[in-house]
Amino acid sequence: MSASVIIFYCIAAFILLTGIAAVTSRKIFRSAIALLFSLTGIAGLYFWMDVNFIAAVQIIVYVGGIVVLIIFSIFLTQKSGEEMPKPLVSRVLFSLLAVLSGLGLIYRLISEYGFNNISKQPFNVEVSEIGTQMLSTTEHGYVLPFEAVSMLLLAAMIGCIVIALKASPNPSKGEA
Amino acid sequence: MLNDFLILMKQELVITIIIFILLFIKIGSKDWKNESLLKLINVLLLLNVVFSFIGNQEGVLFNEMFRTNDLISLEKGILSLGTLIISLSSYSWLQNHKHVAEFYMLLLSTLLGMFLMISGGHLIMFYLGLELSTIPLAAIANFDLDKRKSSEAAFKLIISSAFSSGLLLFGISLVYGTTGTLLFSELAQTLTGTPIQIFAFILLFAGFAFKISVVPFHLWTADVYEGAPVAVTSYLSVISKGAVLFVFVSVLYGAFKPLATTWYNMLFILSVLTIIVGNLFAIRQNNLKRFLAFSSIAQVGFILIGVSGSSQTGTASVIYFILVYIFSNLAAFGVISFISAVTGKETIDDYKALYKTNPFLSWVITIALFSLAGVPPTAGFFGKYFLLMAGTGIAGSKGLIIWIIIAALNLVISFYYYLRVVKAIFMDANETPIQKLSVPFLPKLAMIICVAGIVLTGLFSFIYEYIFSLSNGF
């Protein structure tokens, strides 16, 4: 077993353990912190695969953005110090069963397929290349999805504004 | 390139332009009255319908990420028409709403998402279109701003759609991992049906099933339909379901053609479950919106029979049925939406003796329910007939007769609950019936269009023949 493989298993174990901590912790704030570590672990996995840009994006977007948002909303809405009620034993049993059978199924499927027949051609992961492809219209250009996402964000913002305006009893003019 | 772009993406561009016109109206300094704004919007939507039916061409753009042909243009035209009808019939509700421009911006964004999804030749485009067509919809499900049920509906919709998107994305990533491509045209050649690909397909299928609320993925439907404003409910049950079904057919017949036996069996099990559960639950509903929610679940079960046909008849019957279904369901929802906006009454008991006070509304909803049940000579009968015919596979001779028998028996059950409403309207006595209501011009126009659609699409055979000539099986 080479060093690279050992590192992979270390990172994978880290992700899994922090992930389990995130779903089993009874304090919601601790869950959020465990999730933070789990997402950082995934960034580590990307570094291990030598896709530095994706790893950086993972850290900026998920660790820096989404987890901070989650923590913000926990502080705004929940009593973060309180423990959540203990889950029912039957519920724990059934979720354990579901997790184990899911694991078994995926393991079986992946080991059977083997992923050996995928061509190991090197791929270009320079940031400039990614940027060009993102906005190009030719082969492997992703400008159309990019524009679709921008419409999605516009719509999401409009929706948020309207729903958030709900609280004000007498809306002022020029609210959008 | 630019010319191609302008011509082939015409339908998407028109909608984008309308969205931006509304955006500029909203952020401009002029204060628009709701009435004049609604009139402007309805004219724009009418233009959109006209544009989407004329001057369409075939072609492929952006390296197969976007493709269009006569069939796809027709599907988009049908959806545009349905949106116009919904807009007309929700006039009474929107008249007093303070966010009309935003409502239409979000509504049209979802329509744009559906167009991109229908035209998408790539799983990424398909996924983005699907998201664009559900996330704004969750926002407008919340547009009855002071009702808790409306917020609940929005929340349930966004959570369940996030869950289904999760399944879908997992499926997509497994497909990409095993084939190395996401283009539909290449998938059709590279998929081989190994267990992991079948698993990926099941996940994708579950994502679809959530959106069209196939049993057992239907649990969100009734609550969301009940809580959301009626305009949004009708949009959810007709337009967004129709769009996903259009894509469903083209994805199954195109990209996942190599897995045909797998999805034929899945369709069989799910459609039988869907029809039976939808029917049994529809029988016990008293709220009309919940009632129509379960009836629409059962209808989807019938549509899946048509999908299983995998022939030219299969495609044509599904598209034809959705056209008919848009007219019938929107007529029913139009009446319910109007009565609910004016009086706030939504249960079947409230509708007792409606005929005594409001004969016009009674006839509209009755014809709509007859069409949903499939009583000849309404178009609903022909729609169901073609679906079952596609399912028996006269052309391919591989239909399961048991399946058709179960469906036919369930058709009889569905007569019971549709006609229960008709009986309440015409025969039951009621001491406090809904008072006499005068229907404004635009909702009335919408109802008349729907009734005309129900009667005429059934009687004029060239509509079905035209759809049939554009369709393709495999």
Side-chain angles (χ1 to χ4, degrees), chain A residues 136-151:
Chain A
S136 96
T137 56
T138 49
E139 183 113 8
H140 303 302
Y142 282 85
V143 69
L144 186 63
F146 187 81
E147 293 300 327
V149 170
S150 64
M151 285 308 291

Side-chain angles (χ1 to χ4, degrees), chain B residues 242-395:
Chain B
V244 177
L245 278 164
F246 287 147
V247 183
F248 193 48
V249 173
S250 79
V251 167
L252 285 188
Y253 290 10
F256 290 101
K257 197 162 122 186
L259 304 178
T261 18
T262 313
W263 55 252
Y264 185 79
N265 294 332
M266 284 168 77
L267 283 177
F268 170 57
I269 297 167
L270 291 181
S271 115
V272 168
L273 269 178
T274 308
I275 295 175
I276 292 176
V277 172
N279 268 345
L280 292 185
F281 279 83
I283 289 176
R284 39 191 301 264
Q285 302 305 321
N286 197 28
N287 180 301
L288 272 169
K289 279 153 93 182
R290 282 186 90 86
F291 162 76
L292 281 177
F294 281 105
S295 102
S296 81
I297 291 175
Q299 304 276 358
V300 167
F302 286 104
I303 295 176
L304 293 187
I305 299 179
V307 175
S308 79
S310 63
S311 56
Q312 197 174 358
T313 329
T315 318
S317 69
V318 170
I319 294 172
Y320 179 76
F321 186 80
I322 288 172
L323 177 66
V324 174
Y325 178 62
I326 282 179
F327 286 131
S328 350
N329 229 11
L330 287 186
F333 270 119
V335 175
I336 294 170
S337 157
F338 175 69
I339 290 180
S340 145
V342 180
T343 65
K345 292 181 174 171
E346 285 179 357
T347 63
I348 294 179
D349 291 338
D350 292 333
Y351 277 64
K352 280 182 181 165
L354 181 71
Y355 180 67
K356 294 238 167 65
T357 48
N358 295 290
F360 172 71
L361 293 176
S362 307
W363 277 114
V364 172
I365 197 170
T366 305
I367 292 172
L369 290 173
F370 275 152
S371 176
L372 285 173
V375 178
T378 55
F381 165 73
F382 298 101
K384 287 243 171 76
Y385 173 72
F386 288 135
L387 284 178
L388 294 186
M389 197 172 83
T392 51
I394 288 170

Side-chain angles (χ1 to χ4, degrees), chain A residues 105-106 109 112-113 115 118 137 139-145 149 151-152 155 158-159 162-163 166 173 175-176, chain B residues 19 26 31 62-63 65-66 99 102 105-106 109 125 128 132 136 142-143 145 151 177-178 194-196 199:
Chain A
L105 177 69
I106 299 285
L109 286 173
E112 193 164 303
Y113 190 77
F115 285 100
I118 297 293
T137 56
E139 183 113 8
H140 303 302
Y142 282 85
V143 69
L144 186 63
V149 170
M151 285 308 291
L152 177 60
I158 296 171
V162 175
I163 292 172
K166 183 158 83 168
K173 236 191 86 180
E175 53 212 16
Chain B
I19 292 175
K26 189 66 202 179
D31 241 355
F62 297 109
N63 189 35
M65 278 206 184
F66 182 93
H99 297 296
E102 289 93 331
M105 275 184 248
L106 294 173
S109 309
M125 271 326 286
L128 282 176
L132 187 50
N142 199 0
F143 258 52
L145 290 170
S151 305
T178 52
T194 52
I196 196 165
F199 180 63

Side-chain angles (χ1 to χ4, degrees), chain B residues 400-416:
Chain B
L400 278 176
I401 294 302
I402 307 171
W403 192 354
I404 308 302
I405 291 173
I406 296 173
L409 287 178
N410 275 284
L411 268 177
V412 180
I413 299 177
S414 75
F415 279 157
Y416 166 71

Side-chain angles (χ1 to χ4, degrees), chain A residues 17-170:
Chain A
L17 288 178
T18 46
I20 291 171
V23 289
T24 51
S25 165
R26 282 172 56 207
K27 284 189 177 166
I28 191 156
F29 187 69
R30 285 194 190 164
S31 296
I33 298 298
L35 184 67
L36 175 86
F37 281 112
S38 179
L39 292 170
T40 320
I42 291 175
L45 208 55
Y46 286 134
F47 276 119
W48 179 81
M49 286 191 282
D50 259 345
V51 281
N52 297 329
F53 178 68
I54 307 283
V57 168
Q58 166 81 14
I59 289 181
I60 293 170
V61 173
Y62 283 92
V63 180
I66 288 177
V67 171
V68 171
L69 265 185
I70 290 176
I71 292 175
F72 254 121
S73 43
I74 288 174
F75 278 150
L76 288 177
T77 56
Q78 299 268 334
K79 292 179 184 128
S80 49
E82 275 179 20
E83 288 206 340
M84 285 181 282
K86 255 198 170 144
L88 295 172
V89 181
S90 61
R91 205 174 287 173
V92 173
L93 271 181
F94 278 115
S95 40
L96 210 63
L97 205 68
V99 166
L100 286 179
S101 48
L103 183 73
L105 177 69
I106 299 285
Y107 179 78
R108 182 93 215 274
L109 286 173
I110 289 180
S111 66
E112 193 164 303
Y113 190 77
F115 285 100
N116 294 321
N117 46 358
I118 297 293
S119 64
K120 293 204 172 83
Q121 49 181 318
F123 62 112
N124 193 343
V125 286
E126 274 175 49
V127 180
S128 61
E129 188 68 22
I130 294 174
T132 322
Q133 271 199 14
M134 183 94 90
L135 291 178
S136 96
T137 56
T138 49
E139 183 113 8
H140 303 302
Y142 282 85
V143 69
L144 186 63
F146 187 81
E147 293 300 327
V149 170
S150 64
M151 285 308 291
L152 177 60
L153 288 179
L154 175 71
M157 268 194 307
I158 296 171
C160 287
I161 291 171
V162 175
I163 292 172
L165 269 180
K166 183 158 83 168
S168 71
N170 45 352

